[in-house]
Amino acid sequence: MNTIKNIRTLLFAAAIGIAGTLITSNTYAQVDTVIKKVGNTGKKVGHKTASVAVKGASKITDKTYKGKQGPNGETVYIDKMDRKYIVDDKGKKVYLKKSEISDKPE
């Protein structure tokens, strides 16, 4: 009788332990997913902020190339050294060749 009670207790403890492990591992997976989503969103916000800042600074300090556009319809800027560039989605200046600049459609 005593051994049956010990076996029941042992099985009950094992079931609780397994359930706790499953719940904990699932929670860690959910937290990891949330952290990745927050990190990706933060990265997107940072890139957009940088892009807007560089475009704003370019409008103030450099000239806009009127009537011309970049390869994907972007605004083309001209710096002090007469180099033509666009600002990409990450806020970096991408210098263009003459063949990459086209006329804006009217």
Side-chain angles (χ1 to χ4, degrees), residues 67-99:
K68 301 289 183 176
Q69 66 181 6
N72 297 317
E74 303 97 338
T75 303
V76 178
Y77 301 99
I78 306 172
D79 66 3
K80 293 177 185 177
M81 298 171 64
D82 203 36
R83 295 181 295 181
K84 283 80 174 170
Y85 68 92
I86 60 170
V87 179
D88 69 359
D89 294 335
K90 294 182 180 180
K92 294 184 181 181
K93 293 181 180 181
V94 179
Y95 291 95
L96 302 172
K97 300 175 189 174
K98 286 183 180 181
S99 60

PDB file of all heavy atoms in Angstrom, residues 67-99:
ATOM      1  N   GLY A  67      14.084  68.878 -62.141  1.00  0.00           N
ATOM      2  CA  GLY A  67      13.733  68.196 -63.371  1.00  0.00           C
ATOM      3  C   GLY A  67      14.379  66.837 -63.538  1.00  0.00           C
ATOM      4  O   GLY A  67      14.212  66.196 -64.571  1.00  0.00           O
ATOM      5  N   LYS A  68      15.115  66.388 -62.539  1.00  0.00           N
ATOM      6  CA  LYS A  68      15.793  65.095 -62.622  1.00  0.00           C
ATOM      7  C   LYS A  68      15.362  64.214 -61.460  1.00  0.00           C
ATOM      8  O   LYS A  68      14.884  64.686 -60.436  1.00  0.00           O
ATOM      9  CB  LYS A  68      17.317  65.259 -62.584  1.00  0.00           C
ATOM     10  CG  LYS A  68      17.875  66.113 -63.690  1.00  0.00           C
ATOM     11  CD  LYS A  68      17.780  65.414 -65.024  1.00  0.00           C
ATOM     12  CE  LYS A  68      18.424  66.271 -66.122  1.00  0.00           C
ATOM     13  NZ  LYS A  68      18.447  65.603 -67.400  1.00  0.00           N
ATOM     14  N   GLN A  69      15.531  62.888 -61.625  1.00  0.00           N
ATOM     15  CA  GLN A  69      15.180  61.945 -60.576  1.00  0.00           C
ATOM     16  C   GLN A  69      16.212  60.813 -60.544  1.00  0.00           C
ATOM     17  O   GLN A  69      16.934  60.595 -61.515  1.00  0.00           O
ATOM     18  CB  GLN A  69      13.789  61.373 -60.796  1.00  0.00           C
ATOM     19  CG  GLN A  69      13.652  60.510 -62.024  1.00  0.00           C
ATOM     20  CD  GLN A  69      12.238  60.001 -62.199  1.00  0.00           C
ATOM     21  OE1 GLN A  69      11.339  60.389 -61.467  1.00  0.00           O
ATOM     22  NE2 GLN A  69      12.029  59.135 -63.174  1.00  0.00           N
ATOM     23  N   GLY A  70      16.225  60.115 -59.438  1.00  0.00           N
ATOM     24  CA  GLY A  70      17.112  58.976 -59.283  1.00  0.00           C
ATOM     25  C   GLY A  70      16.556  57.743 -59.982  1.00  0.00           C
ATOM     26  O   GLY A  70      15.522  57.801 -60.647  1.00  0.00           O
ATOM     27  N   PRO A  71      17.217  56.605 -59.824  1.00  0.00           N
ATOM     28  CA  PRO A  71      16.798  55.378 -60.506  1.00  0.00           C
ATOM     29  C   PRO A  71      15.374  54.932 -60.171  1.00  0.00           C
ATOM     30  O   PRO A  71      14.695  54.353 -61.020  1.00  0.00           O
ATOM     31  CB  PRO A  71      17.788  54.329 -60.015  1.00  0.00           C
ATOM     32  CG  PRO A  71      18.942  55.079 -59.473  1.00  0.00           C
ATOM     33  CD  PRO A  71      18.437  56.411 -59.057  1.00  0.00           C
ATOM     34  N   ASN A  72      14.899  55.194 -58.968  1.00  0.00           N
ATOM     35  CA  ASN A  72      13.550  54.773 -58.570  1.00  0.00           C
ATOM     36  C   ASN A  72      12.648  55.965 -58.277  1.00  0.00           C
ATOM     37  O   ASN A  72      11.707  55.864 -57.502  1.00  0.00           O
ATOM     38  CB  ASN A  72      13.625  53.860 -57.343  1.00  0.00           C
ATOM     39  CG  ASN A  72      14.378  52.585 -57.634  1.00  0.00           C
ATOM     40  OD1 ASN A  72      14.183  51.987 -58.682  1.00  0.00           O
ATOM     41  ND2 ASN A  72      15.254  52.193 -56.737  1.00  0.00           N
ATOM     42  N   GLY A  73      12.930  57.091 -58.884  1.00  0.00           N
ATOM     43  CA  GLY A  73      12.096  58.274 -58.714  1.00  0.00           C
ATOM     44  C   GLY A  73      12.453  59.126 -57.511  1.00  0.00           C
ATOM     45  O   GLY A  73      11.673  59.994 -57.112  1.00  0.00           O
ATOM     46  N   GLU A  74      13.624  58.910 -56.919  1.00  0.00           N
ATOM     47  CA  GLU A  74      14.035  59.679 -55.746  1.00  0.00           C
ATOM     48  C   GLU A  74      14.484  61.087 -56.133  1.00  0.00           C
ATOM     49  O   GLU A  74      14.854  61.341 -57.269  1.00  0.00           O
ATOM     50  CB  GLU A  74      15.213  58.993 -55.019  1.00  0.00           C
ATOM     51  CG  GLU A  74      14.948  57.589 -54.574  1.00  0.00           C
ATOM     52  CD  GLU A  74      15.479  56.560 -55.573  1.00  0.00           C
ATOM     53  OE1 GLU A  74      15.665  56.913 -56.741  1.00  0.00           O
ATOM     54  OE2 GLU A  74      15.679  55.423 -55.161  1.00  0.00           O
ATOM     55  N   THR A  75      14.465  61.981 -55.163  1.00  0.00           N
ATOM     56  CA  THR A  75      14.983  63.328 -55.355  1.00  0.00           C
ATOM     57  C   THR A  75      16.502  63.260 -55.438  1.00  0.00           C
ATOM     58  O   THR A  75      17.150  62.582 -54.650  1.00  0.00           O
ATOM     59  CB  THR A  75      14.576  64.228 -54.178  1.00  0.00           C
ATOM     60  OG1 THR A  75      13.150  64.223 -54.069  1.00  0.00           O
ATOM     61  CG2 THR A  75      15.064  65.649 -54.370  1.00  0.00           C
ATOM     62  N   VAL A  76      17.076  63.980 -56.389  1.00  0.00           N
ATOM     63  CA  VAL A  76      18.528  64.002 -56.562  1.00  0.00           C
ATOM     64  C   VAL A  76      19.055  65.317 -55.994  1.00  0.00           C
ATOM     65  O   VAL A  76      18.519  66.386 -56.278  1.00  0.00           O
ATOM     66  CB  VAL A  76      18.911  63.863 -58.057  1.00  0.00           C
ATOM     67  CG1 VAL A  76      20.424  63.924 -58.235  1.00  0.00           C
ATOM     68  CG2 VAL A  76      18.363  62.574 -58.630  1.00  0.00           C
ATOM     69  N   TYR A  77      20.105  65.234 -55.188  1.00  0.00           N
ATOM     70  CA  TYR A  77      20.745  66.404 -54.587  1.00  0.00           C
ATOM     71  C   TYR A  77      22.131  66.585 -55.187  1.00  0.00           C
ATOM     72  O   TYR A  77      22.763  65.628 -55.639  1.00  0.00           O
ATOM     73  CB  TYR A  77      20.868  66.232 -53.072  1.00  0.00           C
ATOM     74  CG  TYR A  77      19.533  66.043 -52.382  1.00  0.00           C
ATOM     75  CD1 TYR A  77      19.092  64.770 -52.030  1.00  0.00           C
ATOM     76  CD2 TYR A  77      18.719  67.125 -52.091  1.00  0.00           C
ATOM     77  CE1 TYR A  77      17.871  64.583 -51.398  1.00  0.00           C
ATOM     78  CE2 TYR A  77      17.495  66.948 -51.472  1.00  0.00           C
ATOM     79  CZ  TYR A  77      17.077  65.676 -51.129  1.00  0.00           C
ATOM     80  OH  TYR A  77      15.862  65.489 -50.517  1.00  0.00           O
ATOM     81  N   ILE A  78      22.619  67.834 -55.170  1.00  0.00           N
ATOM     82  CA  ILE A  78      23.963  68.151 -55.658  1.00  0.00           C
ATOM     83  C   ILE A  78      24.733  68.760 -54.495  1.00  0.00           C
ATOM     84  O   ILE A  78      24.312  69.773 -53.923  1.00  0.00           O
ATOM     85  CB  ILE A  78      23.918  69.158 -56.832  1.00  0.00           C
ATOM     86  CG1 ILE A  78      23.003  68.635 -57.942  1.00  0.00           C
ATOM     87  CG2 ILE A  78      25.312  69.435 -57.348  1.00  0.00           C
ATOM     88  CD1 ILE A  78      22.738  69.634 -59.041  1.00  0.00           C
ATOM     89  N   ASP A  79      25.878  68.166 -54.143  1.00  0.00           N
ATOM     90  CA  ASP A  79      26.661  68.693 -53.022  1.00  0.00           C
ATOM     91  C   ASP A  79      27.620  69.788 -53.491  1.00  0.00           C
ATOM     92  O   ASP A  79      27.631  70.167 -54.662  1.00  0.00           O
ATOM     93  CB  ASP A  79      27.382  67.567 -52.276  1.00  0.00           C
ATOM     94  CG  ASP A  79      28.441  66.879 -53.108  1.00  0.00           C
ATOM     95  OD1 ASP A  79      28.689  67.297 -54.255  1.00  0.00           O
ATOM     96  OD2 ASP A  79      29.037  65.915 -52.599  1.00  0.00           O
ATOM     97  N   LYS A  80      28.440  70.304 -52.591  1.00  0.00           N
ATOM     98  CA  LYS A  80      29.349  71.413 -52.882  1.00  0.00           C
ATOM     99  C   LYS A  80      30.408  71.047 -53.919  1.00  0.00           C
ATOM    100  O   LYS A  80      30.950  71.913 -54.588  1.00  0.00           O
ATOM    101  CB  LYS A  80      30.045  71.860 -51.599  1.00  0.00           C
ATOM    102  CG  LYS A  80      29.103  72.472 -50.602  1.00  0.00           C
ATOM    103  CD  LYS A  80      29.815  72.827 -49.313  1.00  0.00           C
ATOM    104  CE  LYS A  80      28.819  73.330 -48.292  1.00  0.00           C
ATOM    105  NZ  LYS A  80      29.443  73.611 -47.002  1.00  0.00           N
ATOM    106  N   MET A  81      30.693  69.759 -54.039  1.00  0.00           N
ATOM    107  CA  MET A  81      31.712  69.306 -54.994  1.00  0.00           C
ATOM    108  C   MET A  81      31.076  68.862 -56.312  1.00  0.00           C
ATOM    109  O   MET A  81      31.713  68.183 -57.103  1.00  0.00           O
ATOM    110  CB  MET A  81      32.530  68.174 -54.367  1.00  0.00           C
ATOM    111  CG  MET A  81      33.260  68.644 -53.114  1.00  0.00           C
ATOM    112  SD  MET A  81      34.045  67.336 -52.178  1.00  0.00           S
ATOM    113  CE  MET A  81      35.258  66.756 -53.306  1.00  0.00           C
ATOM    114  N   ASP A  82      29.815  69.257 -56.534  1.00  0.00           N
ATOM    115  CA  ASP A  82      29.056  68.978 -57.747  1.00  0.00           C
ATOM    116  C   ASP A  82      28.822  67.483 -57.975  1.00  0.00           C
ATOM    117  O   ASP A  82      28.689  67.042 -59.101  1.00  0.00           O
ATOM    118  CB  ASP A  82      29.740  69.612 -58.966  1.00  0.00           C
ATOM    119  CG  ASP A  82      28.757  69.832 -60.101  1.00  0.00           C
ATOM    120  OD1 ASP A  82      27.588  70.164 -59.813  1.00  0.00           O
ATOM    121  OD2 ASP A  82      29.145  69.640 -61.268  1.00  0.00           O
ATOM    122  N   ARG A  83      28.759  66.714 -56.882  1.00  0.00           N
ATOM    123  CA  ARG A  83      28.438  65.289 -56.987  1.00  0.00           C
ATOM    124  C   ARG A  83      26.937  65.118 -56.775  1.00  0.00           C
ATOM    125  O   ARG A  83      26.353  65.757 -55.903  1.00  0.00           O
ATOM    126  CB  ARG A  83      29.205  64.478 -55.941  1.00  0.00           C
ATOM    127  CG  ARG A  83      30.716  64.506 -56.168  1.00  0.00           C
ATOM    128  CD  ARG A  83      31.428  63.672 -55.135  1.00  0.00           C
ATOM    129  NE  ARG A  83      31.241  64.259 -53.809  1.00  0.00           N
ATOM    130  CZ  ARG A  83      31.755  63.771 -52.685  1.00  0.00           C
ATOM    131  NH1 ARG A  83      32.488  62.676 -52.722  1.00  0.00           N
ATOM    132  NH2 ARG A  83      31.548  64.368 -51.528  1.00  0.00           N
ATOM    133  N   LYS A  84      26.331  64.262 -57.583  1.00  0.00           N
ATOM    134  CA  LYS A  84      24.894  64.021 -57.479  1.00  0.00           C
ATOM    135  C   LYS A  84      24.661  62.784 -56.621  1.00  0.00           C
ATOM    136  O   LYS A  84      25.350  61.782 -56.760  1.00  0.00           O
ATOM    137  CB  LYS A  84      24.266  63.782 -58.860  1.00  0.00           C
ATOM    138  CG  LYS A  84      24.069  65.058 -59.654  1.00  0.00           C
ATOM    139  CD  LYS A  84      25.331  65.487 -60.292  1.00  0.00           C
ATOM    140  CE  LYS A  84      25.125  66.677 -61.212  1.00  0.00           C
ATOM    141  NZ  LYS A  84      26.390  67.249 -61.662  1.00  0.00           N
ATOM    142  N   TYR A  85      23.658  62.875 -55.730  1.00  0.00           N
ATOM    143  CA  TYR A  85      23.370  61.733 -54.854  1.00  0.00           C
ATOM    144  C   TYR A  85      21.897  61.705 -54.478  1.00  0.00           C
ATOM    145  O   TYR A  85      21.178  62.679 -54.639  1.00  0.00           O
ATOM    146  CB  TYR A  85      24.229  61.784 -53.590  1.00  0.00           C
ATOM    147  CG  TYR A  85      23.910  62.922 -52.647  1.00  0.00           C
ATOM    148  CD1 TYR A  85      22.992  62.762 -51.612  1.00  0.00           C
ATOM    149  CD2 TYR A  85      24.515  64.164 -52.778  1.00  0.00           C
ATOM    150  CE1 TYR A  85      22.689  63.799 -50.748  1.00  0.00           C
ATOM    151  CE2 TYR A  85      24.226  65.199 -51.920  1.00  0.00           C
ATOM    152  CZ  TYR A  85      23.310  65.007 -50.901  1.00  0.00           C
ATOM    153  OH  TYR A  85      23.008  66.038 -50.038  1.00  0.00           O
ATOM    154  N   ILE A  86      21.470  60.525 -53.992  1.00  0.00           N
ATOM    155  CA  ILE A  86      20.151  60.353 -53.405  1.00  0.00           C
ATOM    156  C   ILE A  86      20.347  59.872 -51.979  1.00  0.00           C
ATOM    157  O   ILE A  86      21.447  59.473 -51.599  1.00  0.00           O
ATOM    158  CB  ILE A  86      19.295  59.331 -54.202  1.00  0.00           C
ATOM    159  CG1 ILE A  86      19.977  57.956 -54.225  1.00  0.00           C
ATOM    160  CG2 ILE A  86      18.994  59.828 -55.591  1.00  0.00           C
ATOM    161  CD1 ILE A  86      19.098  56.852 -54.766  1.00  0.00           C
ATOM    162  N   VAL A  87      19.295  59.924 -51.188  1.00  0.00           N
ATOM    163  CA  VAL A  87      19.334  59.410 -49.817  1.00  0.00           C
ATOM    164  C   VAL A  87      18.507  58.131 -49.799  1.00  0.00           C
ATOM    165  O   VAL A  87      17.337  58.135 -50.174  1.00  0.00           O
ATOM    166  CB  VAL A  87      18.771  60.441 -48.815  1.00  0.00           C
ATOM    167  CG1 VAL A  87      18.803  59.885 -47.407  1.00  0.00           C
ATOM    168  CG2 VAL A  87      19.559  61.736 -48.899  1.00  0.00           C
ATOM    169  N   ASP A  88      19.137  57.011 -49.365  1.00  0.00           N
ATOM    170  CA  ASP A  88      18.419  55.737 -49.357  1.00  0.00           C
ATOM    171  C   ASP A  88      17.545  55.601 -48.111  1.00  0.00           C
ATOM    172  O   ASP A  88      17.453  56.517 -47.303  1.00  0.00           O
ATOM    173  CB  ASP A  88      19.381  54.550 -49.507  1.00  0.00           C
ATOM    174  CG  ASP A  88      20.260  54.335 -48.291  1.00  0.00           C
ATOM    175  OD1 ASP A  88      20.162  55.093 -47.308  1.00  0.00           O
ATOM    176  OD2 ASP A  88      21.060  53.377 -48.314  1.00  0.00           O
ATOM    177  N   ASP A  89      16.901  54.444 -47.971  1.00  0.00           N
ATOM    178  CA  ASP A  89      15.959  54.209 -46.870  1.00  0.00           C
ATOM    179  C   ASP A  89      16.632  54.174 -45.503  1.00  0.00           C
ATOM    180  O   ASP A  89      15.972  54.342 -44.484  1.00  0.00           O
ATOM    181  CB  ASP A  89      15.213  52.886 -47.080  1.00  0.00           C
ATOM    182  CG  ASP A  89      14.305  52.940 -48.290  1.00  0.00           C
ATOM    183  OD1 ASP A  89      13.891  54.058 -48.669  1.00  0.00           O
ATOM    184  OD2 ASP A  89      13.999  51.873 -48.852  1.00  0.00           O
ATOM    185  N   LYS A  90      17.937  53.943 -45.473  1.00  0.00           N
ATOM    186  CA  LYS A  90      18.662  53.885 -44.205  1.00  0.00           C
ATOM    187  C   LYS A  90      19.331  55.204 -43.858  1.00  0.00           C
ATOM    188  O   LYS A  90      20.035  55.312 -42.869  1.00  0.00           O
ATOM    189  CB  LYS A  90      19.702  52.770 -44.254  1.00  0.00           C
ATOM    190  CG  LYS A  90      19.080  51.400 -44.353  1.00  0.00           C
ATOM    191  CD  LYS A  90      20.127  50.329 -44.352  1.00  0.00           C
ATOM    192  CE  LYS A  90      19.495  48.964 -44.447  1.00  0.00           C
ATOM    193  NZ  LYS A  90      20.504  47.898 -44.456  1.00  0.00           N
ATOM    194  N   GLY A  91      19.155  56.224 -44.700  1.00  0.00           N
ATOM    195  CA  GLY A  91      19.717  57.534 -44.421  1.00  0.00           C
ATOM    196  C   GLY A  91      21.124  57.724 -44.953  1.00  0.00           C
ATOM    197  O   GLY A  91      21.804  58.666 -44.565  1.00  0.00           O
ATOM    198  N   LYS A  92      21.564  56.844 -45.830  1.00  0.00           N
ATOM    199  CA  LYS A  92      22.913  56.968 -46.398  1.00  0.00           C
ATOM    200  C   LYS A  92      22.851  57.683 -47.739  1.00  0.00           C
ATOM    201  O   LYS A  92      21.911  57.511 -48.512  1.00  0.00           O
ATOM    202  CB  LYS A  92      23.533  55.586 -46.589  1.00  0.00           C
ATOM    203  CG  LYS A  92      23.795  54.878 -45.299  1.00  0.00           C
ATOM    204  CD  LYS A  92      24.482  53.565 -45.540  1.00  0.00           C
ATOM    205  CE  LYS A  92      24.720  52.860 -44.223  1.00  0.00           C
ATOM    206  NZ  LYS A  92      25.408  51.594 -44.422  1.00  0.00           N
ATOM    207  N   LYS A  93      23.871  58.490 -48.009  1.00  0.00           N
ATOM    208  CA  LYS A  93      23.969  59.151 -49.301  1.00  0.00           C
ATOM    209  C   LYS A  93      24.531  58.153 -50.301  1.00  0.00           C
ATOM    210  O   LYS A  93      25.571  57.548 -50.069  1.00  0.00           O
ATOM    211  CB  LYS A  93      24.891  60.363 -49.223  1.00  0.00           C
ATOM    212  CG  LYS A  93      24.337  61.491 -48.364  1.00  0.00           C
ATOM    213  CD  LYS A  93      25.288  62.667 -48.337  1.00  0.00           C
ATOM    214  CE  LYS A  93      24.752  63.794 -47.491  1.00  0.00           C
ATOM    215  NZ  LYS A  93      25.666  64.946 -47.471  1.00  0.00           N
ATOM    216  N   VAL A  94      23.827  57.995 -51.416  1.00  0.00           N
ATOM    217  CA  VAL A  94      24.275  57.098 -52.482  1.00  0.00           C
ATOM    218  C   VAL A  94      24.589  57.971 -53.688  1.00  0.00           C
ATOM    219  O   VAL A  94      23.690  58.582 -54.282  1.00  0.00           O
ATOM    220  CB  VAL A  94      23.178  56.059 -52.845  1.00  0.00           C
ATOM    221  CG1 VAL A  94      23.645  55.163 -53.971  1.00  0.00           C
ATOM    222  CG2 VAL A  94      22.785  55.250 -51.620  1.00  0.00           C
ATOM    223  N   TYR A  95      25.880  58.045 -54.030  1.00  0.00           N
ATOM    224  CA  TYR A  95      26.299  58.882 -55.151  1.00  0.00           C
ATOM    225  C   TYR A  95      25.980  58.182 -56.468  1.00  0.00           C
ATOM    226  O   TYR A  95      26.107  56.967 -56.593  1.00  0.00           O
ATOM    227  CB  TYR A  95      27.782  59.222 -55.029  1.00  0.00           C
ATOM    228  CG  TYR A  95      28.026  60.152 -53.856  1.00  0.00           C
ATOM    229  CD1 TYR A  95      28.390  59.650 -52.615  1.00  0.00           C
ATOM    230  CD2 TYR A  95      27.835  61.517 -53.998  1.00  0.00           C
ATOM    231  CE1 TYR A  95      28.570  60.502 -51.537  1.00  0.00           C
ATOM    232  CE2 TYR A  95      28.013  62.378 -52.932  1.00  0.00           C
ATOM    233  CZ  TYR A  95      28.384  61.866 -51.700  1.00  0.00           C
ATOM    234  OH  TYR A  95      28.548  62.707 -50.634  1.00  0.00           O
ATOM    235  N   LEU A  96      25.526  58.978 -57.445  1.00  0.00           N
ATOM    236  CA  LEU A  96      25.028  58.434 -58.699  1.00  0.00           C
ATOM    237  C   LEU A  96      25.969  58.736 -59.858  1.00  0.00           C
ATOM    238  O   LEU A  96      26.666  59.752 -59.870  1.00  0.00           O
ATOM    239  CB  LEU A  96      23.655  59.041 -59.022  1.00  0.00           C
ATOM    240  CG  LEU A  96      22.558  58.850 -57.977  1.00  0.00           C
ATOM    241  CD1 LEU A  96      21.348  59.673 -58.357  1.00  0.00           C
ATOM    242  CD2 LEU A  96      22.207  57.391 -57.848  1.00  0.00           C
ATOM    243  N   LYS A  97      25.927  57.843 -60.853  1.00  0.00           N
ATOM    244  CA  LYS A  97      26.606  58.083 -62.125  1.00  0.00           C
ATOM    245  C   LYS A  97      25.640  58.862 -63.007  1.00  0.00           C
ATOM    246  O   LYS A  97      24.433  58.896 -62.753  1.00  0.00           O
ATOM    247  CB  LYS A  97      26.943  56.754 -62.795  1.00  0.00           C
ATOM    248  CG  LYS A  97      27.849  55.877 -61.987  1.00  0.00           C
ATOM    249  CD  LYS A  97      28.009  54.540 -62.687  1.00  0.00           C
ATOM    250  CE  LYS A  97      28.733  53.568 -61.794  1.00  0.00           C
ATOM    251  NZ  LYS A  97      28.772  52.223 -62.373  1.00  0.00           N
ATOM    252  N   LYS A  98      26.153  59.460 -64.066  1.00  0.00           N
ATOM    253  CA  LYS A  98      25.292  60.201 -64.981  1.00  0.00           C
ATOM    254  C   LYS A  98      24.219  59.301 -65.588  1.00  0.00           C
ATOM    255  O   LYS A  98      23.093  59.731 -65.830  1.00  0.00           O
ATOM    256  CB  LYS A  98      26.126  60.831 -66.102  1.00  0.00           C
ATOM    257  CG  LYS A  98      26.940  62.012 -65.669  1.00  0.00           C
ATOM    258  CD  LYS A  98      27.673  62.623 -66.845  1.00  0.00           C
ATOM    259  CE  LYS A  98      28.497  63.807 -66.403  1.00  0.00           C
ATOM    260  NZ  LYS A  98      29.199  64.442 -67.519  1.00  0.00           N
ATOM    261  N   SER A  99      24.571  58.052 -65.819  1.00  0.00           N
ATOM    262  CA  SER A  99      23.630  57.137 -66.465  1.00  0.00           C
ATOM    263  C   SER A  99      22.471  56.745 -65.531  1.00  0.00           C
ATOM    264  O   SER A  99      21.440  56.267 -65.994  1.00  0.00           O
ATOM    265  CB  SER A  99      24.353  55.868 -66.916  1.00  0.00           C
ATOM    266  OG  SER A  99      24.936  55.200 -65.808  1.00  0.00           O
TER     267      SER A  99
END
